[in-house]
Amino acid sequence: MNKDIAIHLKNITKEYPGVVANKNVDFQVFKGEIHALVGENGAGKSTLMKILYGIEQPDEGEILINGKLEQINKVETAINLGIGMVHQEFTLVPSFTAPENIGLGQEPRNSQGIIDWKGLNKLVVNIAEKYGFKVDPSLKMIDASVGVQQRTEILKTLYRNANILILDEPTAVLTPQETDELFTVIRTLVDEGKTVVFITHKLREVMEIADRVTVMRAGEVQGVSETKNTSIAELASQMVGREVFLQVKKDDAKPEEEILNVEDLWVHDARGLLAVKGVSLNIRKGEIVGIAGVEGNGQSELVEALTGLRKTSQGSINYLGENIASSSPKNIRRKKIAHIPEDRTNTGLNTQLSIWENLIGNSYFRKPLSTNGIFNLKKIATHSNKLKEDFDIRAPNISLKVKSLSGGNQQKVVVARELSEDPILTIASQPTRGVDIGNIEAIHEQLVQMRDDGGAVLLVSAELDEVMAVADRVGVMYEGQIVKWVNPKEVDQSQMGLYMAGIKD
Amino acid sequence: MEKFSFKDVLVTFAGLLITAFIAWVLISATGNNPSEVALYLYEGGFKGTRNIANSLYQATPLILTAVATLISFRVGMFNIGINGSMYVGALYAGWAGYKFTTLGHFTHVTVCILIGMLVGAAWMLLPALLRVYAGVSEIISTIILNFVAVLFVSYMANGPFRADPIAPATPRILETAELKQIFPNSQFNTGFFIAVFVAILAHFVLNKTTFGYELRSGGDGLVGMYPSRFSSYLGIPSDRSAIIGMLISGALGGLAGAIEVLGAVRYFFQELEFNQGFDGILIGILGKLEPIGSVIASLFYGAIKNGGFYVDYKTDVSREIIIVLISILIFFVSAQKMVKGLEKYPLIKKLDNFFSRKKM
């Protein structure tokens, strides 16, 4: 069968200073298919899509849309060619409603040139109904759930007559249920004749939704296959260039005495609203306790409270028999509690500083790194180079600014620093966010290693797979409370999804 | 901080070329001979002991204000008020210069300088505290305090500290409070060495001590990023860093003013005008917010400034045009993206790697 080719990127090469982002990439998408584009961070997926969407220009290569050679040198051209992109970070005006956001810049006008709001609402509702969406035209985006916001973004591209939709990691922010809804939407879109390019690094989703899949690694296409003829393991090994264990290898936990005991903890968020409502949990030496849940259910505030970055309102945090609630981050750090924060770029690192300056953030004051307040740069270099080696931070030297590292390597700097001072308790919040699969594996191994060496670990993650694979016990957080404690070996994903949506059994 | 790279050299060079071209057009347009002006600019800046001494004299306060700027910037505070600190520092150093009559030379100079620094630092206390405890933008408060400083010193010179019944000025400082002028017919004085010493000290403290690390952990290139989540996360009180950084910054501004009065002007008068506090911001940025880089940039700026005076004296070209040219130069030199496209050439890449390599 000869299928029409909607997109054909031919021999695309794009070089950035020092990196070849795309090297002779050939990328074909058939009309009416769901095509997954997978690869690690820095594999060149985003660059390729930016080239297709007119944000970047290729150094070499051609772009054919529906068989016609096109020069896409600005986003407008791409939109006019019927290409729509839903970015990972939404580009919505929070104080606008869905129709206002969707119509922005292309509002229907009446004969006097005044925006026809009613017409716009009707238009939007019509488009939505055609593709089986529901929209509430009066709901402001600030009050809308992430899923609704995403659907609004998709509608925005449809409003602009997109025939080819590029979805950049659309499921990263969704619950399992919302993901299912999104997949339904995508299938409807394809039934209506649209073509969908789906960027992700979750292979399970690829197998579930995509017709074909293109795997990229280090700027090159590693393989194109039909999903029915391939497997997760095969795709994973194409992605990283070697066999990958999707399961974390670990023995059963051998928990010993209690390290942390949180009792009835209440915490307010930055707006003064209650975010953590009476959480109790305990962590023992030699175990990893996981906190699962959709983001924004109080996990961030819980972690901030435990690490001293946020004052607690009520309750106690007993660490080795001492109440450390509302203690300062400095005191808490001195008690050998390590913290891998969820916000890497602003909290976990100062990206303007060099690698070594970031690596010594929790040890610069101690001998031999400094004596009487003066740095011993040689000792610091030895210390930092050892961490660079041990944690496989890929950088030419440790004087490089952290901002020039890839996301995964930046995260390794954080992990290396936090695990370097022999912590008794490690609190890891979204430790693998934006990290590619090879490095995810390494970080998971390090957390398990911490546990096996007699450390206690609290792992907070919105990635359900991660919590289930790494943690020994999992609490599901919903609206500021831990609604359920489970043994990850005894529940399945769909059950977890229900708990995460606040439905108790 | 980012180290100097070949790219910077290239940008600076390109900026110089473009500025030279604009200068040529501008000076020709005013009916003067560009090459003659260029010659005088060079002679005024670099030729002969006297000109060199004067260039160094011009550079002295600039070194201090540039270091003052970069310290505040590197703790994440956007301090625009160094000029104000300079005024009050100058006034009170001048006051101490005539007030203490029984001190020996060394003690007297030291006391005057310390008072100048103390007052300069105190001038920054309010904006620092307002920023940390009330969230008032330090940009706004320090700009406002610049105006306050001008009016305040003018009032003091006219009122409480006025000595001369005819002119609004303080009494001349005593000889024991003078920083020695070394060369004849030049206002170059030992304050220059103090300034260079301060810059070296700043370099050491910022880059080689835990105190400096704590100060800049939250900022360092992220200007205006106070309060830093990174610092608080590491358990480094960024409030303290911000306040200390502002105080040091103010103290160095005060020191710049004190040296002007003790080393060159020798008394404080109402019309005394400073703008080095503002020039220091440009120079600090030009020096990549590194103390040593700022010293080099100050020396260059000082020489051009002095050359400008010489051009003004020798030709019809006014010294303002030199200021215009300096501004254009800075404009182009900070245009980093200008050479961005060149990075793909292997030669440039190689040279860049060579110049930016470091041992660690």
Side-chain angles (χ1 to χ4, degrees):
Chain A
M1 190 175 76
N2 198 7
K3 283 183 185 155
D4 289 338
I5 296 171
I7 307 169
H8 189 181
L9 298 175
K10 245 179 165 174
N11 279 323
I12 299 288
T13 296
K14 173 77 187 175
E15 234 180 292
Y16 291 115
V19 231
V20 187
N22 284 160
K23 196 173 168 191
N24 294 325
V25 171
D26 209 84
F27 181 64
Q28 284 188 34
V29 179
F30 297 141
K31 209 171 251 177
E33 74 168 344
I34 302 172
H35 193 109
L37 179 59
V38 300
E40 297 186 282
N41 290 76
K45 304 175 302 230
S46 305
T47 307
L48 193 65
M49 288 303 110
K50 279 182 187 164
I51 287 170
L52 176 59
Y53 199 52
I55 299 171
E56 297 274 359
Q57 306 309 311
D59 298 333
E60 280 167 43
E62 292 175 342
I63 303 173
L64 285 90
I65 305 295
N66 297 324
K68 255 179 70 192
L69 187 65
E70 302 283 358
Q71 281 288 340
I72 306 182
N73 43 25
K74 52 179 193 282
V75 175
E76 244 183 294
T77 319
I79 292 174
N80 289 337
L81 287 168
I83 301 170
M85 185 153 174
V86 175
H87 295 273
Q88 208 172 346
E89 268 138 41
F90 299 147
T91 50
L92 296 166
V93 183
S95 57
F96 279 14
T97 63
E100 283 168 341
N101 266 296
I102 291 163
L104 192 63
Q106 289 187 16
E107 304 89 347
R109 287 166 193 276
N110 64 16
S111 49
Q112 281 90 45
I114 293 167
I115 296 174
D116 178 8
W117 292 111
K118 271 189 191 153
L120 175 66
N121 284 359
K122 223 173 121 191
L123 212 59
V124 167
V125 171
N126 282 346
I127 298 172
E129 273 173 5
K130 185 177 170 197
Y131 295 101
F133 296 33
K134 275 192 213 98
V135 279
D136 174 358
S138 60
L139 182 70
K140 287 185 177 165
M141 282 304 115
I142 196 168
D143 302 319
S145 72
V146 180
V148 169
Q149 292 186 30
Q150 190 172 55
R151 261 169 273 158
T152 307
E153 285 276 7
I154 294 174
L155 277 174
K156 209 160 90 180
T157 64
L158 296 173
Y159 179 83
R160 285 163 174 74
N161 295 320
N163 283 315
I164 301 164
L165 277 87
I166 307 166
L167 308 178
D168 189 4
E169 308 225 5
T171 58
V173 287
L174 303 180
T175 61
Q177 274 75 16
E178 283 176 318
T179 304
D180 286 343
E181 283 171 37
L182 174 72
F183 285 178
T184 317
V185 167
I186 291 177
R187 288 198 186 97
T188 320
L189 288 171
V190 172
D191 288 343
E192 293 290 328
K194 308 284 183 194
T195 306
V196 175
V197 178
F198 184 87
I199 305 175
T200 186
H201 48 226
K202 293 183 196 167
L203 298 175
R204 211 164 33 80
E205 293 174 356
V206 173
M207 300 306 283
E208 191 182 334
I209 185 91
D211 300 317
R212 291 198 311 145
V213 51
T214 297
V215 182
M216 287 187 76
R217 168 157 52 92
E220 292 181 78
V221 171
Q222 294 301 317
V224 185
S225 34
E226 293 191 19
T227 41
K228 57 181 184 237
N229 298 333
T230 184
S231 67
I232 289 187
E234 191 184 335
L235 291 176
S237 71
Q238 279 180 352
M239 258 167 86
V240 289
R242 63 189 162 83
E243 292 287 330
V244 188
F245 302 102
L246 285 172
Q247 288 299 316
V248 177
K249 276 204 297 187
K250 57 166 191 169
D251 302 326
D252 285 342
K254 298 177 199 70
E256 294 169 43
E257 73 270 18
E258 193 173 80
I259 301 283
L260 185 80
N261 185 1
V262 178
E263 261 175 74
D264 191 32
L265 190 69
W266 295 69
V267 185
H268 287 87
D269 67 10
R271 292 167 299 169
L273 305 172
L274 263 179
V276 177
K277 303 166 186 167
V279 164
S280 297
L281 62 91
N282 74 323
I283 306 171
R284 288 163 295 174
K285 186 169 161 41
E287 73 170 344
I288 300 177
V289 173
I291 300 288
V294 179
E295 260 183 89
N297 276 295
Q299 299 98 315
S300 308
E301 287 79 9
L302 173 65
V303 168
E304 285 175 355
L306 294 179
T307 52
L309 289 167
R310 186 171 290 282
K311 296 264 178 285
T312 60
S313 312
Q314 201 184 311
S316 64
I317 304 170
N318 297 302
Y319 171 73
L320 299 172
E322 187 188 347
N323 187 1
I324 55 163
S326 297
S327 191
S328 75
K330 186 174 178 177
N331 281 336
I332 289 175
R333 277 191 171 273
R334 295 293 191 273
K335 293 180 200 305
K336 290 195 174 287
I337 297 180
H339 176 201
I340 299 167
E342 59 176 18
D343 171 18
R344 174 167 65 228
T345 41
N346 292 318
T347 308
L349 298 164
N350 180 342
T351 53
Q352 295 287 330
L353 293 178
S354 66
I355 296 172
W356 70 264
E357 283 166 322
N358 275 286
L359 281 174
I360 61 169
N362 58 350
S363 54
Y364 67 91
F365 44 81
R366 69 161 168 83
K367 281 183 185 177
L369 301 187
S370 64
T371 325
N372 301 324
I374 294 169
F375 279 161
N376 187 339
L377 291 175
K378 266 190 198 141
K379 290 275 160 47
I380 289 176
T382 321
H383 172 79
S384 308
N385 275 318
K386 186 171 181 302
L387 288 179
K388 176 175 177 286
E389 198 100 331
D390 290 352
F391 288 84
D392 190 29
I393 299 163
R394 304 224 178 123
N397 63 64
I398 54 170
S399 299
L400 219 65
K401 276 192 184 188
V402 162
K403 78 170 180 192
S404 63
L405 300 181
S406 72
N409 276 304
Q410 289 188 357
Q411 185 68 358
K412 283 197 268 186
V413 173
V414 178
V415 173
R417 180 188 62 223
E418 293 308 313
L419 301 189
S420 65
E421 296 294 290
D422 302 322
I424 297 171
L425 172 64
T426 306
I427 298 171
S429 186
Q430 322 290 357
T432 59
R433 168 170 298 166
V435 175
D436 48 68
I437 203 163
N439 289 325
I440 288 176
E441 201 184 10
I443 291 171
H444 286 167
E445 272 169 21
Q446 276 143 4
L447 291 177
V448 172
Q449 190 61 45
M450 285 310 291
R451 178 199 79 166
D452 293 345
D453 292 346
V457 179
L458 179 69
L459 171 67
V460 180
S461 176
E463 285 308 330
L464 193 49
D465 292 344
E466 170 167 273
V467 189
M468 300 292 270
V470 179
D472 303 310
R473 276 193 298 139
V474 175
V476 182
M477 213 163 164
Y478 178 74
E479 295 206 329
Q481 292 177 320
I482 295 182
V483 291
K484 186 77 186 170
W485 283 101
V486 298
N487 182 337
K489 285 182 193 143
E490 290 164 5
V491 286
D492 61 30
Q493 296 259 356
S494 61
Q495 239 178 313
M496 284 299 279
L498 291 175
Y499 296 141
M500 283 163 72
I503 299 158
K504 301 175 203 182
D505 44 10
Chain B
M1 284 309 296
E2 207 162 355
K3 299 298 170 215
F4 291 92
S5 67
F6 179 67
K7 223 166 45 189
D8 302 319
V9 180
L10 211 66
V11 175
T12 311
F13 192 67
L16 274 170
L17 271 181
I18 297 172
T19 311
F21 174 73
I22 294 175
W24 187 79
V25 172
L26 267 180
I27 292 165
S28 304
T30 56
N32 289 282
N33 180 357
S35 52
E36 189 192 36
V37 171
L39 184 71
Y40 287 135
L41 190 63
Y42 164 74
E43 285 185 357
F46 303 103
K47 202 177 170 200
T49 320
R50 186 175 161 223
N51 281 332
I52 291 175
N54 279 336
S55 293
L56 295 181
Y57 160 66
Q58 293 292 348
T60 305
L62 297 175
I63 294 173
L64 290 167
T65 53
V67 173
T69 302
L70 73 88
I71 286 180
S72 75
F73 279 25
R74 288 182 71 173
V75 299
M77 296 284 267
F78 219 132
N79 184 5
I80 313 291
I82 293 155
N83 219 45
S85 280
M86 203 176 157
Y87 271 114
V88 292
L91 174 74
Y92 278 92
W95 169 80
Y98 68 79
K99 203 73 184 171
F100 300 108
T101 50
T102 53
L103 302 174
H105 181 237
F106 181 77
T107 327
H108 198 180
V109 170
T110 313
V111 166
C112 292
I113 283 178
L114 288 180
I115 286 178
M117 291 176 75
L118 209 66
V119 176
W123 196 251
M124 282 300 130
L125 187 63
L126 187 68
L129 294 180
L130 280 178
R131 176 68 185 91
V132 170
Y133 296 108
V136 178
S137 160
E138 74 277 12
I139 304 175
I140 292 169
S141 60
T142 53
I143 288 178
I144 291 170
L145 276 182
N146 280 330
F147 298 115
V148 177
V150 173
L151 296 172
F152 172 71
V153 296
S154 166
Y155 164 75
M156 293 304 276
N158 212 350
F161 290 175
R162 180 169 178 156
D164 198 323
I166 301 159
T170 66
R172 194 185 185 287
I173 60 167
L174 302 175
E175 223 167 283
T176 47
E178 285 177 7
L179 286 167
K180 288 282 162 278
Q181 293 182 353
I182 298 167
F183 300 103
N185 299 321
S186 167
Q187 288 182 307
F188 176 83
N189 59 73
T190 46
F192 175 77
F193 303 107
I194 298 177
V196 172
F197 173 74
V198 164
I200 294 170
L201 189 68
H203 171 78
F204 177 78
V205 170
L206 280 177
N207 296 315
K208 304 229 154 58
T209 67
T210 55
F211 175 68
Y213 179 81
E214 288 182 358
L215 278 188
R216 67 197 171 83
S217 66
D220 228 351
L222 299 172
V223 174
M225 281 303 279
Y226 166 83
S228 150
R229 290 200 44 97
F230 179 67
S231 298
S232 3
Y233 155 77
L234 289 179
I236 298 168
S238 62
D239 294 355
R240 200 191 65 182
S241 299
I243 295 171
I244 292 177
M246 283 294 272
L247 294 185
I248 296 176
S249 182
L252 296 187
L255 177 59
I259 288 176
E260 270 302 279
V261 164
L262 303 176
V265 193
R266 302 277 155 88
Y267 68 111
F268 193 93
F269 57 99
Q270 196 186 6
E271 286 84 21
L272 190 63
E273 207 177 292
F274 292 139
N275 50 28
Q276 289 94 333
F278 299 112
D279 294 343
I281 299 173
L282 298 177
I283 294 167
I285 293 170
L286 210 57
K288 287 234 149 183
L289 300 185
E290 282 286 352
I292 305 304
S294 298
V295 171
I296 295 166
S298 300
L299 293 175
F300 176 72
Y301 197 102
I304 301 238
K305 205 171 163 188
N306 201 50
F309 291 146
Y310 195 65
V311 169
D312 187 74
Y313 162 69
K314 282 280 196 185
T315 69
D316 293 342
V317 178
S318 81
R319 77 174 82 143
E320 275 74 26
I321 216 160
I322 303 300
I323 308 283
V324 169
L325 293 179
I326 294 176
S327 311
I328 294 172
L329 176 65
I330 289 173
F331 194 76
F332 282 110
V333 168
S334 29
Q336 285 287 345
K337 282 198 172 164
M338 211 160 60
V339 292
K340 214 178 156 201
L342 294 175
E343 279 168 340
K344 64 177 175 213
Y345 295 106
L347 176 71
I348 304 290
K349 217 185 284 176
K350 221 181 252 174
L351 286 168
D352 198 18
N353 287 340
F354 180 78
F355 281 97
S356 51
R357 90 203 145 126
K358 268 186 63 191
K359 288 201 182 71
M360 253 169 95

